[in-house]
Amino acid sequence: MLVILGLCASFLSILYLTAPSIRKFFAGGVCTTSVRIPGKVVVITGANTGIGKETARELARRGARVYIACRDVLKGESAASDIRADTKNSQVLVRKLDLSDTKSIRAFAERFLAEEKKLHILINNAGVMMHPYSKTTDGFETHFGVNHLGHFLLTYLLLGRLKESAPARVVTLSSVAHLGGKIRFHDLQGEKRYCRGFAYCHSKLANILFTRELAKRLQGTGVTAYVVHPGIVMSEIVRHSFLLCLLWRLFSPFFKSTRQGAQTSLHCALAEGLEPLSGKYFSDCKRTWVSPRARNKKTAERLWNVSCELLGIEWD
C-alpha cells in the first residue's frame, strides 16, 4: 500500500511540475484577427464574470460599446469598472437581465431598444450548470429555461435591431457536453426523470440546434449565427456542484484560463469572412464536429416550434 501511495504521489508531483506545458498544449486556438470595432454595439449576457467578462474586456479594448447584461447588477458594475479602467473605454454599461424570468428579459430588451438604435453583436454567454432541480419564474426547468429558452427569447426580442444593423452576428455558447444530450420532448421540464448533469447536457444540445435553425431562418438578412464550445475553463459555472468545484480546484493547472476560454467567442464575433459558416459549431477558433443529434434537422425544427409555444411568441 505504501508503495502504491508513493507511486501516486510521484505521479502527481510530475504531473503538477509539467502542468504549465500541459496547459499550454490544451490552451486551444487564439483569436488572431486584429480588427477594431469602434462604434459597434455589443450585448453580452453574464459578462460580470468568467468567460463573458474576458470577452467584454477584449471587445471594449477594440473600441466597442459593450452592454454587460447580468442578474447581479452590483457584480456587473464591479466588472464594468475593472474593464473601463483596463481598456480606457468608458462605453461599458451594465443592465439588469435575469434569464430565469421572461419579464426581466422583456424589460431588458425594451430598455435596450429604447437606448440603442444599433446592435451588431449579441453574445449569449450566460448559463447554469449542475443546478439542483428547480424551476424558473415561468415554470421551466432551470437548465432548459435559462440556457436555452432565456437566450431564445432574448434573441427573438433583439433580432429586429440586429437586422437593421447588418452585418451582425449572434454567438451562443454551448459545450462539448452536448454529446451527452438529448431533446426529450415528452419531458422537457424534467418532471418525470431528472439528473442535473444530463439536464445541462440537454440544454447545451438545445443551444446548437437553436443556432442551426436560426442560421437557416436568417439566410439573406445579413445576420449570421455561430455556436461555441469554449473548452474546459476555470470559471464559476461549476458553483452548484461540490464535486465539480473540488475537481476544478484539483485540476486547475490543466484547465483554460477565462481569457483562453473567451478566444473562440471572440473569433466568431470578429473574424472576417466567417459568414459562409453561419450555423456551425466552433471550438478552439475553428469549425469542429458535432454529434448526430446536433445535426438533426427535424429535431431542430420541432424544438424551435415548441420553444415558441412555451414562450408564447410567433417567430416565422
Side-chain angles (χ1 to χ4, degrees):
M1 178 62 72
L2 289 175
V3 173
I4 293 174
L5 289 174
L7 289 172
C8 289
S10 298
F11 174 74
L12 287 173
S13 297
I14 294 171
L15 199 59
Y16 273 80
L17 284 173
T18 58
S21 298
I22 296 172
R23 186 171 186 171
K24 184 177 180 181
F25 178 79
F26 286 109
V30 175
C31 177
T32 58
T33 180
S34 59
V35 66
R36 293 189 59 79
I37 50 173
K40 301 293 186 181
V41 180
V42 180
V43 169
I44 310 177
T45 65
N48 58 304
T49 187
I51 297 169
K53 181 181 177 181
E54 292 308 312
T55 304
R57 187 192 306 276
E58 183 58 29
L59 293 174
R61 183 174 286 118
R62 293 174 186 244
R65 180 176 172 89
V66 178
Y67 280 83
I68 292 175
C70 60
R71 183 175 57 181
D72 191 326
V73 174
L74 290 178
K75 286 185 178 180
E77 290 291 357
S78 176
S81 178
D82 175 43
I83 293 170
R84 287 192 291 262
D86 183 32
T87 64
K88 312 306 180 193
N89 182 345
S90 62
Q91 298 299 297
V92 181
L93 309 170
V94 179
R95 297 291 181 266
K96 183 174 179 60
L97 171 66
D98 184 350
L99 289 164
S100 69
D101 184 350
T102 58
K103 288 183 179 178
S104 175
I105 299 169
R106 290 182 180 278
F108 167 84
E110 184 178 355
R111 181 178 180 183
F112 175 83
L113 294 173
E115 287 181 307
E116 291 288 348
K117 301 304 179 186
K118 296 290 183 180
L119 175 58
H120 303 93
I121 301 171
L122 169 61
I123 301 182
N124 295 321
N125 167 86
V128 294
M129 179 182 184
M130 297 291 286
H131 201 287
Y133 186 78
S134 63
K135 290 188 176 182
T136 67
T137 303
D138 303 275
F140 307 131
E141 186 277 315
T142 298
H143 291 91
F144 185 70
V146 172
N147 296 353
H148 170 61
L149 289 176
H151 284 125
F152 189 98
L153 178 60
L154 179 65
T155 305
Y156 165 78
L157 294 171
L158 299 181
L159 191 60
R161 193 66 90 238
L162 285 160
K163 289 179 177 179
E164 293 168 2
S165 309
R169 295 184 180 185
V170 179
V171 180
T172 300
L173 269 69
S174 178
S175 169
V176 70
H178 83 272
L179 294 170
K182 183 178 181 180
I183 306 302
R184 302 168 66 241
F185 288 106
H186 66 287
D187 190 24
L188 286 175
Q189 310 311 331
E191 294 172 326
K192 297 179 180 178
R193 185 177 64 188
Y194 184 76
C195 168
R196 56 184 178 172
F198 279 117
Y200 175 73
C201 296
H202 302 333
S203 71
K204 294 292 100 179
L205 174 59
N207 290 148
I208 298 178
L209 293 168
F210 162 61
T211 300
R212 180 188 185 95
E213 187 66 14
L214 178 64
K216 185 180 78 174
R217 292 167 181 261
L218 289 176
Q219 288 178 3
T221 66
V223 183
T224 50
Y226 312 90
V227 62
V228 166
H229 166 54
I232 302 177
V233 180
M234 280 302 300
S235 72
E236 296 179 9
I237 196 170
V238 298
R239 61 187 177 276
H240 296 295
S241 169
F242 173 77
L243 178 58
L244 281 183
C245 285
L246 188 63
L247 289 173
W248 251 239
R249 286 184 178 276
L250 182 62
F251 292 101
S252 60
F254 313 104
F255 292 168
K256 287 184 179 182
S257 65
T258 51
R259 182 176 179 276
Q260 291 168 333
Q263 294 304 302
T264 306
S265 296
L266 291 166
H267 174 76
C268 289
L270 298 169
E272 297 168 298
L274 215 59
E275 289 76 13
L277 295 178
S278 182
K280 304 306 181 185
Y281 175 72
F282 286 76
S283 178
D284 291 332
C285 297
K286 60 181 182 294
R287 178 186 173 185
T288 191
W289 182 87
V290 291
S291 72
R293 285 174 178 163
R295 299 193 300 270
N296 191 303
K297 294 180 181 179
K298 290 185 178 179
T299 303
E301 291 173 0
R302 185 180 176 188
L303 178 62
W304 184 280
N305 293 331
V306 169
S307 299
C308 287
E309 290 174 9
L310 290 170
L311 292 166
I313 60 176
E314 293 184 9
W315 191 348
D316 295 327

PDB file of all heavy atoms in Angstrom, residues 1 30 42 97 100 156 160 216 220 239 243 253 255 269 290-292 296 312:
ATOM      1  N   MET A   1       0.829  -1.206   0.000  1.00  0.00           N
ATOM      2  CA  MET A   1       0.000   0.000   0.000  1.00  0.00           C
ATOM      3  C   MET A   1       0.865   1.258   0.000  1.00  0.00           C
ATOM      4  O   MET A   1       0.600   2.238  -0.699  1.00  0.00           O
ATOM      5  CB  MET A   1      -0.917  -0.006   1.231  1.00  0.00           C
ATOM      6  CG  MET A   1      -1.794   1.243   1.338  1.00  0.00           C
ATOM      7  SD  MET A   1      -2.942   1.438  -0.055  1.00  0.00           S
ATOM      8  CE  MET A   1      -4.103   0.127   0.319  1.00  0.00           C
ATOM      9  N   VAL A  30      -6.422  30.662 -30.719  1.00  0.00           N
ATOM     10  CA  VAL A  30      -6.365  32.069 -30.329  1.00  0.00           C
ATOM     11  C   VAL A  30      -7.011  32.898 -31.426  1.00  0.00           C
ATOM     12  O   VAL A  30      -6.788  32.657 -32.618  1.00  0.00           O
ATOM     13  CB  VAL A  30      -4.902  32.522 -30.122  1.00  0.00           C
ATOM     14  CG1 VAL A  30      -4.838  34.019 -29.838  1.00  0.00           C
ATOM     15  CG2 VAL A  30      -4.255  31.728 -28.995  1.00  0.00           C
ATOM     16  N   VAL A  42     -22.442  46.005 -28.695  1.00  0.00           N
ATOM     17  CA  VAL A  42     -22.387  44.594 -28.316  1.00  0.00           C
ATOM     18  C   VAL A  42     -23.191  44.357 -27.036  1.00  0.00           C
ATOM     19  O   VAL A  42     -23.108  45.151 -26.101  1.00  0.00           O
ATOM     20  CB  VAL A  42     -20.926  44.147 -28.070  1.00  0.00           C
ATOM     21  CG1 VAL A  42     -20.877  42.671 -27.674  1.00  0.00           C
ATOM     22  CG2 VAL A  42     -20.052  44.413 -29.284  1.00  0.00           C
ATOM     23  N   LEU A  97     -30.461  41.804 -16.252  1.00  0.00           N
ATOM     24  CA  LEU A  97     -31.096  40.767 -17.073  1.00  0.00           C
ATOM     25  C   LEU A  97     -31.081  39.459 -16.303  1.00  0.00           C
ATOM     26  O   LEU A  97     -30.019  38.915 -16.016  1.00  0.00           O
ATOM     27  CB  LEU A  97     -30.353  40.591 -18.406  1.00  0.00           C
ATOM     28  CG  LEU A  97     -30.800  39.391 -19.246  1.00  0.00           C
ATOM     29  CD1 LEU A  97     -32.227  39.576 -19.736  1.00  0.00           C
ATOM     30  CD2 LEU A  97     -29.862  39.166 -20.423  1.00  0.00           C
ATOM     31  N   SER A 100     -33.821  33.766 -16.046  1.00  0.00           N
ATOM     32  CA  SER A 100     -34.793  32.818 -15.482  1.00  0.00           C
ATOM     33  C   SER A 100     -36.174  33.448 -15.337  1.00  0.00           C
ATOM     34  O   SER A 100     -37.083  32.822 -14.787  1.00  0.00           O
ATOM     35  CB  SER A 100     -34.312  32.322 -14.111  1.00  0.00           C
ATOM     36  OG  SER A 100     -34.356  33.362 -13.145  1.00  0.00           O
ATOM     37  N   TYR A 156     -34.860  36.622 -29.981  1.00  0.00           N
ATOM     38  CA  TYR A 156     -36.100  36.987 -30.680  1.00  0.00           C
ATOM     39  C   TYR A 156     -36.418  38.469 -30.508  1.00  0.00           C
ATOM     40  O   TYR A 156     -36.748  39.172 -31.475  1.00  0.00           O
ATOM     41  CB  TYR A 156     -37.240  36.127 -30.131  1.00  0.00           C
ATOM     42  CG  TYR A 156     -38.625  36.611 -30.491  1.00  0.00           C
ATOM     43  CD1 TYR A 156     -39.164  36.391 -31.759  1.00  0.00           C
ATOM     44  CD2 TYR A 156     -39.408  37.284 -29.546  1.00  0.00           C
ATOM     45  CE1 TYR A 156     -40.443  36.837 -32.078  1.00  0.00           C
ATOM     46  CE2 TYR A 156     -40.682  37.726 -29.859  1.00  0.00           C
ATOM     47  CZ  TYR A 156     -41.201  37.505 -31.134  1.00  0.00           C
ATOM     48  OH  TYR A 156     -42.462  37.947 -31.442  1.00  0.00           O
ATOM     49  N   GLY A 160     -34.787  42.214 -34.537  1.00  0.00           N
ATOM     50  CA  GLY A 160     -35.094  43.323 -35.439  1.00  0.00           C
ATOM     51  C   GLY A 160     -33.972  44.333 -35.483  1.00  0.00           C
ATOM     52  O   GLY A 160     -33.584  44.816 -36.565  1.00  0.00           O
ATOM     53  N   LYS A 216     -30.460  29.106 -40.481  1.00  0.00           N
ATOM     54  CA  LYS A 216     -31.269  28.781 -41.661  1.00  0.00           C
ATOM     55  C   LYS A 216     -32.319  29.857 -41.916  1.00  0.00           C
ATOM     56  O   LYS A 216     -32.520  30.297 -43.057  1.00  0.00           O
ATOM     57  CB  LYS A 216     -31.943  27.421 -41.459  1.00  0.00           C
ATOM     58  CG  LYS A 216     -32.720  26.931 -42.672  1.00  0.00           C
ATOM     59  CD  LYS A 216     -33.374  25.586 -42.423  1.00  0.00           C
ATOM     60  CE  LYS A 216     -34.635  25.735 -41.586  1.00  0.00           C
ATOM     61  NZ  LYS A 216     -35.363  24.434 -41.452  1.00  0.00           N
ATOM     62  N   GLY A 220     -29.834  35.483 -45.962  1.00  0.00           N
ATOM     63  CA  GLY A 220     -30.176  36.641 -46.775  1.00  0.00           C
ATOM     64  C   GLY A 220     -30.452  37.917 -45.994  1.00  0.00           C
ATOM     65  O   GLY A 220     -30.701  38.967 -46.592  1.00  0.00           O
ATOM     66  N   ARG A 239     -20.268  26.188  -9.666  1.00  0.00           N
ATOM     67  CA  ARG A 239     -20.512  26.512  -8.255  1.00  0.00           C
ATOM     68  C   ARG A 239     -21.635  25.688  -7.610  1.00  0.00           C
ATOM     69  O   ARG A 239     -21.687  25.576  -6.383  1.00  0.00           O
ATOM     70  CB  ARG A 239     -20.820  28.001  -8.092  1.00  0.00           C
ATOM     71  CG  ARG A 239     -22.058  28.484  -8.835  1.00  0.00           C
ATOM     72  CD  ARG A 239     -22.175  30.006  -8.754  1.00  0.00           C
ATOM     73  NE  ARG A 239     -23.307  30.515  -9.516  1.00  0.00           N
ATOM     74  CZ  ARG A 239     -23.272  30.762 -10.816  1.00  0.00           C
ATOM     75  NH1 ARG A 239     -22.162  30.526 -11.497  1.00  0.00           N
ATOM     76  NH2 ARG A 239     -24.332  31.237 -11.443  1.00  0.00           N
ATOM     77  N   LEU A 243     -18.683  18.462  -5.904  1.00  0.00           N
ATOM     78  CA  LEU A 243     -17.714  17.555  -6.506  1.00  0.00           C
ATOM     79  C   LEU A 243     -16.955  18.232  -7.642  1.00  0.00           C
ATOM     80  O   LEU A 243     -15.723  18.140  -7.729  1.00  0.00           O
ATOM     81  CB  LEU A 243     -18.420  16.300  -7.032  1.00  0.00           C
ATOM     82  CG  LEU A 243     -17.522  15.265  -7.732  1.00  0.00           C
ATOM     83  CD1 LEU A 243     -16.425  14.789  -6.799  1.00  0.00           C
ATOM     84  CD2 LEU A 243     -18.348  14.091  -8.244  1.00  0.00           C
ATOM     85  N   PRO A 253      -4.564  23.549 -12.710  1.00  0.00           N
ATOM     86  CA  PRO A 253      -3.375  23.868 -13.518  1.00  0.00           C
ATOM     87  C   PRO A 253      -3.478  23.422 -14.975  1.00  0.00           C
ATOM     88  O   PRO A 253      -2.697  23.868 -15.818  1.00  0.00           O
ATOM     89  CB  PRO A 253      -2.254  23.096 -12.804  1.00  0.00           C
ATOM     90  CG  PRO A 253      -2.737  22.921 -11.406  1.00  0.00           C
ATOM     91  CD  PRO A 253      -4.222  22.709 -11.552  1.00  0.00           C
ATOM     92  N   PHE A 255      -6.525  23.399 -16.785  1.00  0.00           N
ATOM     93  CA  PHE A 255      -7.682  23.970 -17.472  1.00  0.00           C
ATOM     94  C   PHE A 255      -7.342  25.303 -18.121  1.00  0.00           C
ATOM     95  O   PHE A 255      -6.353  25.945 -17.779  1.00  0.00           O
ATOM     96  CB  PHE A 255      -8.832  24.176 -16.481  1.00  0.00           C
ATOM     97  CG  PHE A 255      -9.428  22.908 -15.949  1.00  0.00           C
ATOM     98  CD1 PHE A 255     -10.297  22.936 -14.868  1.00  0.00           C
ATOM     99  CD2 PHE A 255      -9.130  21.681 -16.517  1.00  0.00           C
ATOM    100  CE1 PHE A 255     -10.858  21.772 -14.365  1.00  0.00           C
ATOM    101  CE2 PHE A 255      -9.689  20.511 -16.025  1.00  0.00           C
ATOM    102  CZ  PHE A 255     -10.548  20.556 -14.934  1.00  0.00           C
ATOM    103  N   ALA A 269     -17.176  36.271 -33.131  1.00  0.00           N
ATOM    104  CA  ALA A 269     -17.723  37.629 -33.132  1.00  0.00           C
ATOM    105  C   ALA A 269     -16.981  38.544 -34.089  1.00  0.00           C
ATOM    106  O   ALA A 269     -17.576  39.476 -34.638  1.00  0.00           O
ATOM    107  CB  ALA A 269     -17.666  38.207 -31.720  1.00  0.00           C
ATOM    108  N   VAL A 290     -19.831  17.917 -34.544  1.00  0.00           N
ATOM    109  CA  VAL A 290     -20.909  17.847 -33.552  1.00  0.00           C
ATOM    110  C   VAL A 290     -21.570  16.472 -33.631  1.00  0.00           C
ATOM    111  O   VAL A 290     -21.423  15.751 -34.615  1.00  0.00           O
ATOM    112  CB  VAL A 290     -21.980  18.935 -33.775  1.00  0.00           C
ATOM    113  CG1 VAL A 290     -21.436  20.309 -33.463  1.00  0.00           C
ATOM    114  CG2 VAL A 290     -22.538  18.880 -35.188  1.00  0.00           C
ATOM    115  N   SER A 291     -22.315  16.138 -32.610  1.00  0.00           N
ATOM    116  CA  SER A 291     -22.958  14.831 -32.563  1.00  0.00           C
ATOM    117  C   SER A 291     -24.063  14.728 -33.610  1.00  0.00           C
ATOM    118  O   SER A 291     -24.604  15.740 -34.064  1.00  0.00           O
ATOM    119  CB  SER A 291     -23.565  14.599 -31.175  1.00  0.00           C
ATOM    120  OG  SER A 291     -24.707  15.429 -31.003  1.00  0.00           O
ATOM    121  N   PRO A 292     -24.427  13.512 -34.009  1.00  0.00           N
ATOM    122  CA  PRO A 292     -25.537  13.336 -34.955  1.00  0.00           C
ATOM    123  C   PRO A 292     -26.825  13.996 -34.472  1.00  0.00           C
ATOM    124  O   PRO A 292     -27.583  14.540 -35.265  1.00  0.00           O
ATOM    125  CB  PRO A 292     -25.679  11.811 -35.040  1.00  0.00           C
ATOM    126  CG  PRO A 292     -24.304  11.299 -34.736  1.00  0.00           C
ATOM    127  CD  PRO A 292     -23.771  12.225 -33.690  1.00  0.00           C
ATOM    128  N   ASN A 296     -29.563  17.018 -36.431  1.00  0.00           N
ATOM    129  CA  ASN A 296     -30.885  16.535 -36.823  1.00  0.00           C
ATOM    130  C   ASN A 296     -31.813  17.698 -37.152  1.00  0.00           C
ATOM    131  O   ASN A 296     -32.238  18.445 -36.266  1.00  0.00           O
ATOM    132  CB  ASN A 296     -31.479  15.681 -35.694  1.00  0.00           C
ATOM    133  CG  ASN A 296     -32.721  14.933 -36.132  1.00  0.00           C
ATOM    134  OD1 ASN A 296     -33.687  15.528 -36.593  1.00  0.00           O
ATOM    135  ND2 ASN A 296     -32.691  13.614 -35.992  1.00  0.00           N
ATOM    136  N   GLY A 312     -44.830  31.652 -25.840  1.00  0.00           N
ATOM    137  CA  GLY A 312     -45.971  32.419 -26.303  1.00  0.00           C
ATOM    138  C   GLY A 312     -45.632  33.455 -27.349  1.00  0.00           C
ATOM    139  O   GLY A 312     -46.158  34.568 -27.340  1.00  0.00           O
TER     140      GLY A 312
END
